[in-house]
Amino acid sequence: MIDALWFLWAAACALLLAYLPGLALARLLGIGTRTAAAVAPAISAGLFGGGAIVAGLLEVRWNLLAALLTTVAGCLLALGPRLLLGALHRASRRRTGRSAPPPPGPAGPLPALLPSPRAALAVLVPALALAIAPILLSFGSPGQPLQRWDALFHLSALRWIRETGFATTLRFSALSTTDGSGGVYPAAFHDLAALVPLAPVPIVLNAATLALAVVPWIHGTMFLTRALWPRLSWAPLAAGAAAAIAPAAPLNEWIHLAAIPNLVASAFLPGVLGVVVLGFRALRLRLHDGSGPHRAAPPGTAVAPLVLAAAVGAAGLGLMHPNVFIAMCLLVAAATAVAVLEQRRRRPRLSRASALVLLLAVLPVGVIAVLPAAGVAGDFVGGLAISPPRALGELVSGLLTVWPMATGPLLWLLGYIGIWAQLRRGHVMLPVVLLVPLVLYMDAAIDSPLRLSALWYSGQDRISMLLTLVACLLVVPGLAHLERLTRRTEAPTRRLLRLLGLGVCVVVAAATIGPRLEYAERNLDLDRTDRPRYVDSAELEMLQEVSAQMDTDKLLLASPFSGGAHLYGMTGQKVRFPAAGMSPNPEDSARMDDVLAAPEDPAACRRLLEADIGYVYADRRPYNVGGEFTRLDQASPELGRVIGSTDHSMMIEIDCATE
């Protein structure tokens, strides 16, 4: 019960940290509350990620106080553009003799996202329950570690920031190196989540990830839908429900792969795109070539605040994970390319402005692709390569690599209808935008030599979230087209068709309950033997018991693929290898040799103690078998005193007096 309360506390704190700083800054820029709330999580990530970098350069600990000062500084900086825009507005009023209001829509209030609170209760609450409940039911406890490769790194990262205050993106990869020589690693998610106070670190990681993968994703998708179709009152609700039940949503990506910064950044992406849409619409009104009431509007009153908010939000995406920032640039580039072609004759000024936006969107893609840090993703080997027919089948059917189930084909079917409806009306923007994730997914799926998806680790998993976002948007024109068709029928038939369609959606969604539980248990059920495990339930219980009697000043030598490596994130016990994928240096290798020799060699035992190594963890069933860490898993109980054990693992306290 206490852990459940901690979980709720951590989730609530994570949402407040994600929304409040960004909301304050965006409001100070002069943006409406609904618009500011949509982009707030990405702006907060930009504030915290940038603040942590400055704190690192100044050698100041990153904590709540540093985050508060960063937020205050960001808000003060936001006042500058606000005051400048006000001065321009007053100058325009003096010059023209009258006050011209800014264009309606982009800078003013948008229509509400929900038609009514009852609609939200009737649609969104069941959709959220369907998405979240199977995952919560599969967790043995709120702080249970996820059994995926990346999860251990993120657990250790939160503990590391709490203990050391070191959180800068510029050197954050030091956590996963044995000599402390860190390089660039996007740390904005960790910078935010580590600020959650009081709650145990494992619970903070799970609660923050769940909250930030769900709320901004659905909220942002609804806002983006409202920006695209401001006159369809039901559109945000439909897109929000689709985003909740979609198979390849960020929440499911968490359990599937544990690429936490990537998936949280993807959840923040729709809100930023919504602000970009509003900014482009404001620009279009500003550059209107004919006569109209907007020509006299003071320059920048609508466009500049939106541009600034989108820029800070985009920076936040980049500091969480660069490939989400790149994805945003590519989606915006595709949309603006359509605008350039459509407006080149009718509105040449708008076409030229769109071309400039296109250039600004494409430029960062080329810059980031040639940076040395991009090689970390580009050199990655391990994505699941499949045959071209199978890859094409996944794309056509909607059964993507992340949790393929019945709601995928349903969303795709509505999406196909939406594409048809858009093309019939001469609207090609969304179909063209859809080509971006389609091409990236195919490139990753077949392991193409073009390596277009290299920045996404040549894996379909991360790209699936981009496809899902565009599919959720296409659901709206799809449903609108079906609604137009039903209007041709008599009223009783129309009501029957609507009920039939709703019933089909409910049945298909309910049919995914079993698969959702199965997919969740694959990486959450600690005692499944058909998939690799860091730790099983007996081992986790043993580790929690022995941690109370361990000296936290002594170093634990454990394979990063074992349950013992989790003790750093769980309790703060010093662990030599706290992240999977670490490579031991020559000194580490010598100490691991000493572990094998110590039962027969007193000098080897003394060298372990002189290196402050007080414990060795041996696990004959690690997450990953083989490699240099195998020596640790072969440790003998004669090395010292066994203070905890299971049928496949044991914690040994080194005792040279037992020679």
Side-chain angles (χ1 to χ4, degrees), residues 33-278:
T33 303
R34 289 182 184 137
T35 304
V39 76
I43 290 179
S44 296
L47 282 173
F48 292 153
I53 291 174
V54 173
L57 294 174
L58 298 177
E59 298 183 354
V60 174
R61 287 180 63 90
W62 178 250
N63 51 27
L64 278 172
L65 178 59
L68 177 61
L69 293 175
T70 298
T71 302
V72 171
C75 290
L76 290 175
L77 289 174
L79 283 175
R82 178 74 177 272
L83 295 174
L84 177 62
L85 293 176
L88 291 174
H89 182 81
R90 290 189 295 271
S92 175
R93 183 171 53 187
R94 287 193 299 268
R95 185 174 63 253
T96 61
R98 62 190 178 89
S99 176
L110 281 171
L113 295 183
L114 295 172
S116 71
R118 273 187 290 181
L121 289 174
V123 177
L124 285 183
V125 171
L128 284 170
L130 177 69
I132 297 173
I135 291 174
L136 292 180
L137 291 173
S138 299
F139 266 109
S141 65
Q144 176 181 307
L146 180 63
Q147 303 300 296
R148 293 298 286 165
W149 180 287
D150 288 356
L152 175 58
F153 175 87
H154 302 305
L155 178 67
S156 298
L158 295 190
R159 172 70 64 178
W160 196 41
I161 295 175
R162 274 195 178 185
E163 286 191 351
T164 67
F166 186 85
T168 174
T169 290
L170 301 180
R171 292 189 59 244
F172 200 68
S173 66
L175 173 64
S176 59
T177 61
T178 53
D179 59 2
S181 59
V184 174
Y185 185 93
F189 165 78
H190 307 94
D191 298 338
L192 189 158
L195 296 174
V196 174
L198 304 177
V201 170
I203 293 178
V204 169
L205 178 62
N206 290 339
T209 303
L210 187 147
L212 298 180
V214 172
V215 177
W217 168 253
I218 296 175
H219 177 212
T221 302
M222 293 173 67
F223 176 80
L224 175 56
T225 306
R226 170 58 73 227
L228 290 171
W229 295 282
R231 297 180 181 178
L232 290 179
S233 61
W234 54 266
L237 186 62
I245 67 173
L251 177 64
N252 300 335
E253 172 75 6
W254 171 37
I255 307 301
H256 175 78
L257 191 64
I260 293 175
N262 214 140
L263 67 92
V264 172
S266 296
F268 291 4
L269 174 62
V272 180
L273 289 176
V275 175
V276 171
V277 170
L278 293 185

Side-chain angles (χ1 to χ4, degrees), residues 289-600:
D289 291 319
S291 61
H294 308 313
R295 284 197 310 164
T301 50
V303 180
L306 294 168
V307 170
L308 291 172
V312 179
L317 297 181
L319 289 170
M320 278 193 291
H321 208 292
N323 65 27
V324 178
F325 171 74
I326 292 298
M328 183 204 74
C329 291
L330 292 175
L331 295 177
V332 171
T336 51
V338 172
V340 169
L341 295 176
E342 287 181 341
Q343 306 294 338
R344 68 184 186 278
R345 291 183 179 177
R346 291 185 300 159
R347 296 181 178 178
R349 291 178 63 199
L350 179 60
S351 180
R352 290 193 295 271
S354 301
L356 178 60
V357 175
L358 174 61
L359 177 63
L360 293 175
V362 171
L363 187 60
V365 179
V367 172
I368 292 180
V370 301
L371 288 176
V376 175
D379 297 338
F380 177 80
V381 177
L384 177 63
I386 58 178
S387 65
R390 179 180 170 185
L392 186 61
E394 290 182 358
L395 290 173
V396 170
S397 67
L399 297 172
L400 304 179
T401 188
V402 179
W403 288 26
M405 50 190 176
T407 47
L410 175 63
L411 294 181
W412 251 239
L413 176 61
L414 293 173
Y416 288 139
I417 298 173
I419 292 173
W420 167 251
Q422 291 284 94
L423 294 178
R424 280 190 64 195
R425 290 170 170 263
H427 301 156
V428 300
M429 184 194 72
L430 277 180
V432 170
V433 167
L434 179 62
L435 292 176
V436 172
L438 283 176
V439 170
L440 291 175
Y441 189 97
M442 178 62 77
D443 179 90
I446 65 175
D447 201 12
S448 164
L450 297 176
R451 304 283 287 166
L452 300 176
S453 59
L455 290 174
W456 289 264
Y457 301 90
S458 297
Q460 304 96 290
D461 317 82
R462 297 166 174 84
I463 302 168
S464 296
M465 294 182 286
L466 303 178
L467 269 172
T468 297
L469 174 59
V470 182
C472 290
L473 298 177
L474 286 167
V475 163
V476 172
L479 289 174
H481 185 71
L482 293 177
E483 173 65 16
R484 286 191 293 271
L485 292 179
T486 60
R487 288 177 186 169
R488 302 175 184 175
T489 62
E490 299 293 332
T493 305
R494 185 161 58 248
R495 286 194 296 269
L496 180 62
L497 289 174
R498 288 173 178 171
L499 287 175
L500 180 62
L502 179 62
V504 169
C505 292
V506 171
V507 170
V508 170
T512 66
I513 294 175
R516 288 177 187 274
L517 285 168
E518 164 62 19
Y519 289 134
E521 289 174 357
R522 287 184 184 181
N523 294 323
L524 288 173
D525 184 350
L526 298 181
D527 295 317
R528 283 185 64 145
T529 57
D530 59 337
R531 294 175 70 85
R533 287 291 181 266
Y534 278 110
V535 59
D536 58 29
S537 56
E539 188 178 3
L540 182 61
E541 183 180 354
M542 181 268 289
L543 288 170
Q544 290 170 338
E545 290 177 356
V546 302
S547 63
Q549 54 183 299
M550 294 175 68
D551 185 348
T552 55
D553 291 330
K554 292 184 178 180
L555 195 62
L556 168 63
L557 205 55
S559 166
F561 303 109
S562 71
H566 288 71
L567 278 181
Y568 176 63
M570 289 167 54
T571 68
Q573 178 69 45
K574 291 182 179 179
V575 176
R576 180 57 177 158
F577 305 112
M582 297 182 70
S583 299
N585 60 31
E587 182 179 349
D588 294 323
S589 295
R591 297 294 78 77
M592 287 190 283
D593 288 336
D594 288 338
V595 167
L596 297 179
E600 304 294 335

